[in-house]
Amino acid sequence: MTTSSSTFRTPTAGSRTVLASPALLLALISAAAFALSGPFAKSLFDVGWSPGAAVAVRIGGAAVVLLIPVIITLVRRWSKVKGSLGRIAIYGVVPIALCQLFYFNAVQHLSVGVALLLEYLSPVLLVGWAWLMTRSRPRALTIVGAVCAMTGLVLVLDLAGSQKVSLEGVLWGLAAAVCSAVYFVMSAKADDAVPPVLMAGGGMAVGAAMIVGLGVVGVLPMSFTFTDPVFAGTPVHWLVPVLGLVLVTTVFAYLMGIVATRGLGSKVASFVALFEVLFAVIWAWLLLGEMPRIIQLLGGLAIMGGVVLVRLDDLRGSSSRGPSYPVGLEIAGALPADALPVEQLPAVTLATKTPQP
């Protein structure tokens, strides 16, 4: 596809900064919401829930919450979205269902820290994929930022000491990283025909059906209890952590994540998502009384520095590398079929694409 400068112009640093500021904030909020899943899920695990049960309720409950908005959106926009139903199904299977399933499988063979580290290799995979697709080496600032962010991730996870290493676990963890990378690529697609509520809600429905199906055939163990757990040091009704998992860490987090990724592009959004690990440490400190170590705080600063470097590199990108801002993995010199003039991007990514459930 060929284009001219009259139909698409590469955003300047100033215009990109204006565009990305709200999206960057939404990405951080999304990361903080995703990170709350740990404390909510831990309270359920303590009273006998299995990880598979927690995932099934989390995704299935979110699908139910978004069911009416999804149906309304389908009815109103059927002619525009019917061609995207396959993509929505893939979104539900790969980034939503398989990513969580692969991660839990990795945890069965590795320590939680190592499994997390493997899953959060997704930003590096995205940079490598862009390198492969564009045949153009990432600029030095992106490389330095990636190294800095991943070093910070290792510090935050505090991997010192003996760690369990299993080839099977490593493969599961790398599979989770690939699914995580797919999440950012698919979320970044600036497509008017598929609003975030439909992408998230439709994906949740497909993902929930898959997880429940795996539970029915016995591949994924399911164990539920209705004992009231302790959350943040206080006995609560079992619905409290369940609703937290469904509404906060899934419905809200995924919607904000999709909107933010469409504003930032897949590359930058994937690096900002590393803050989820730091937020998880902070939530564990505030809600579970698990005090972070100095090395973890230093790791958080390293992640922040890495994200800043990658973001600065994104802002100063040259036009010769193609319009990589809305979606960070497009082939240099080519535009996606649904690319919009940059003048329209603020309204599309931050206003018209944010229907509320």
Side-chain angles (χ1 to χ4, degrees):
M1 175 179 178
T2 59
T3 59
S4 65
S5 59
S6 62
T7 57
F8 189 99
R9 59 183 175 83
T10 302
T12 63
S15 65
R16 286 182 175 186
T17 302
V18 173
L19 256 177
S21 295
L24 187 60
L25 177 61
L26 290 179
L28 289 171
I29 292 173
S30 175
F34 274 124
L36 271 171
S37 63
F40 283 130
K42 182 176 175 60
S43 66
L44 294 174
F45 296 157
D46 288 343
V47 294
W49 284 57
S50 67
V55 173
V57 168
R58 180 184 182 187
I59 300 178
V64 171
V65 169
L66 294 175
L67 181 60
I68 294 179
V70 165
I71 292 175
I72 292 175
T73 304
L74 282 174
V75 171
R76 289 180 176 178
R77 301 195 180 194
W78 176 250
S79 61
K80 295 182 179 180
V81 303
K82 61 181 180 180
S84 301
L85 295 182
R87 185 160 61 91
I88 295 173
I90 294 174
Y91 185 82
V93 170
V94 180
I96 294 179
L98 289 183
C99 188
Q100 297 188 48
L101 182 60
F102 290 162
Y103 170 70
F104 282 128
N105 282 337
V107 169
Q108 289 182 339
H109 300 278
L110 302 169
S111 67
V112 173
V114 173
L116 268 177
L117 177 60
L118 290 170
E119 181 181 356
Y120 278 92
L121 286 175
S122 54
V124 177
L125 295 181
L126 288 173
V127 172
W129 177 254
W131 190 346
L132 178 65
M133 288 293 97
T134 63
R135 299 294 194 273
S136 180
R137 182 180 63 82
R139 291 183 293 269
L141 208 55
T142 287
I143 295 175
V144 173
V147 172
C148 186
M150 297 311 297
T151 300
L153 179 61
V154 173
L155 295 178
V156 168
L157 294 174
D158 196 9
L159 299 179
S162 63
Q163 299 293 326
K164 237 173 45 170
V165 177
S166 160
L167 177 59
E168 183 179 354
V170 169
L171 293 177
W172 283 122
L174 291 176
V178 172
C179 293
S180 177
V182 172
Y183 162 75
F184 291 108
V185 172
M186 297 191 72
S187 296
K189 186 174 177 60
D191 187 346
D192 269 343
V194 185
V197 68
L198 179 56
M199 179 66 78
M204 295 296 172
V206 174
M210 177 180 174
I211 292 295
V212 171
L214 291 174
V216 170
V217 300
V219 174
L220 195 61
M222 298 281 185
S223 176
F224 302 87
T225 69
F226 299 100
T227 305
D228 290 341
V230 174
F231 179 74
T234 304
V236 296
H237 194 277
W238 63 271
L239 279 175
V240 171
V242 167
L243 291 176
L245 278 176
V246 171
L247 299 178
V248 178
T249 73
T250 308
V251 173
F252 178 77
Y254 271 97
L255 285 175
M256 293 301 98
I258 293 171
V259 174
T261 304
R262 289 180 178 182
L264 290 173
S266 54
K267 181 183 75 173
V268 176
S270 68
F271 278 95
V272 176
L274 293 177
F275 277 99
E276 181 183 339
V277 181
L278 180 59
F279 281 125
V281 172
I282 295 173
W283 289 131
W285 176 22
L286 297 177
L287 301 176
L288 303 177
E290 299 177 0
M291 184 73 69
R293 299 176 59 184
I294 296 298
I295 191 173
Q296 292 177 310
L297 298 178
L298 292 176
L301 293 177
I303 291 175
M304 185 181 300
V307 170
V308 168
L309 291 176
V310 172
R311 183 65 188 133
L312 287 175
D313 194 37
D314 187 64
L315 294 179
R316 62 187 282 272
S318 64
S319 59
S320 63
R321 291 181 180 267
S324 61
Y325 173 66
V327 181
L329 297 179
E330 300 301 334
I331 298 176
L335 285 174
D338 56 2
L340 296 172
V342 69
E343 295 89 344
Q344 298 177 19
L345 285 175
V348 171
T349 57
L350 300 179
T352 62
K353 285 198 168 186
T354 319
Q356 297 299 317

